[in-house]
Amino acid sequence: MTKTWAPRTTSGGRGTVRCLLGLLLFLAVPACSSDHRATSPEEVRERAAGPPAQEARKAAEDYLRTTVRAYDKDTPLVLGLVRVNDRCIGGAAKEWFFQTGDDRYRIRCDLHITAYYGADPQQIGDTLDAVLTAGDHDVSASPSGPIPFGHDDYRGRLVDYYREHGPNPTGPDTPEPAHLFAPPQTLSWDTLRSSPKTLVNESGPCTEDDPPVTRCLREPTSRTVADLRQQHGMVFELEMSASDYYQVLK
């Protein structure tokens, strides 16, 4: 049977339009529900100021600050500067196509602390060994101890390298190793053998501070990383985060 093209009738056109309108209405109704809208700034502020968020914030910050003090107390590192960054953000509107997961929560809050310590560059081998010894003790006492870096083969060779008792543990012709990592901590330091040297970055000023949604603290306010380096000879930087310390799902 042969079929030939023919224009659609007017009634067919109206039917198509009605179908399209119905489809758009079907999609629009759920998009207007509270679970599909982005969290408003007012709700973010209200939830960030509420008792559950305050309690979670205090617990997370207390834990991270305990870790900061442990390095100062149990190792040769001398605490000189602490920076706190705290931010709560609202969830996105329903992501129909490109999904990132940001539409699954009403609010989530992250806390990041960076601590800066002075150290004697002539004693870096002994300093690193002391950090690892403190880590050995903490790890054996509790899996969640303040210092997660214990002795192992690589770290032992790192200490020997800085004591000039062995080669670069990462291999010949490789950059000078200048950090240790164990979630959620990263411990970095000024390089000593490299030319030019790679130094711990300066801690910038606080430009956003609008509690309880955003907080930025520098303690003490006037101290700089350069001050620590001038006073002690080199700087160590400890970075830690408490991701999603408070979160409310939709």
Side-chain angles (χ1 to χ4, degrees):
M1 179 173 58
T2 303
K3 292 185 179 180
T4 59
W5 178 87
R8 295 188 179 184
T9 63
T10 304
S11 59
R14 286 198 297 267
T16 301
V17 171
R18 283 197 298 268
C19 289
L20 290 175
L21 289 175
L23 178 60
L24 291 174
L25 181 61
F26 173 78
L27 293 175
V29 170
C32 293
S33 69
S34 60
D35 284 347
H36 294 305
R37 292 196 301 264
T39 310
S40 68
E42 294 76 16
E43 182 179 352
V44 172
R45 182 169 295 277
E46 180 180 357
R47 289 183 179 273
Q54 292 184 40
E55 293 171 8
R57 182 177 297 116
K58 184 178 185 307
E61 189 166 339
D62 285 350
Y63 175 76
L64 295 183
R65 285 184 179 272
T66 296
T67 300
V68 168
R69 292 191 295 269
Y71 279 88
D72 183 59
K73 174 178 175 291
D74 299 332
T75 80
L77 299 176
V78 180
L79 180 62
L81 173 64
V82 176
R83 181 186 178 101
V84 178
N85 288 96
D86 182 16
R87 177 182 294 273
C88 294
I89 61 175
K94 178 64 178 178
E95 298 174 317
W96 296 104
F97 301 107
F98 303 103
Q99 298 180 352
T100 66
D102 289 343
D103 60 345
R104 298 176 184 174
Y105 57 86
R106 293 191 181 281
I107 181 177
R108 64 181 176 89
C109 302
D110 296 322
L111 183 67
H112 186 88
I113 286 185
T114 307
Y116 301 88
Y117 304 83
D120 182 353
Q122 302 301 319
Q123 302 296 324
I124 185 173
D126 292 341
T127 297
L128 286 172
D129 191 44
V131 169
L132 300 178
T133 299
D136 290 337
H137 177 270
D138 288 347
V139 171
S140 64
S142 170
S144 59
I147 301 178
F149 308 111
H151 282 90
D152 60 17
D153 178 67
Y154 169 79
R155 293 166 184 168
R157 289 187 289 117
L158 179 66
V159 171
D160 288 342
Y161 168 73
Y162 275 114
R163 284 175 170 166
E164 299 184 355
H165 294 166
N168 186 333
T170 59
D173 302 321
T174 60
E176 176 182 349
H179 80 276
L180 296 172
F181 173 72
Q185 297 184 27
T186 301
L187 182 67
S188 308
W189 54 88
D190 294 340
T191 60
L192 301 177
R193 306 281 186 84
S194 305
S195 181
K197 293 182 178 181
T198 301
L199 303 179
V200 169
N201 291 329
E202 188 64 66
S203 177
C206 286
T207 58
E208 291 185 86
D209 187 40
D210 183 23
V213 178
T214 59
R215 290 190 307 138
C216 180
L217 306 173
R218 280 173 53 94
E219 304 168 346
T221 304
S222 59
R223 178 64 68 89
T224 67
V225 172
D227 291 339
L228 280 177
R229 188 173 292 113
Q230 183 175 10
Q231 180 179 357
H232 297 278
M234 70 178 299
V235 172
F236 277 68
E237 176 188 66
L238 176 66
E239 295 181 276
M240 300 176 292
S241 295
S243 299
D244 296 341
Y245 70 79
Y246 177 67
Q247 181 175 261
V248 178
L249 298 177
K250 288 184 178 179

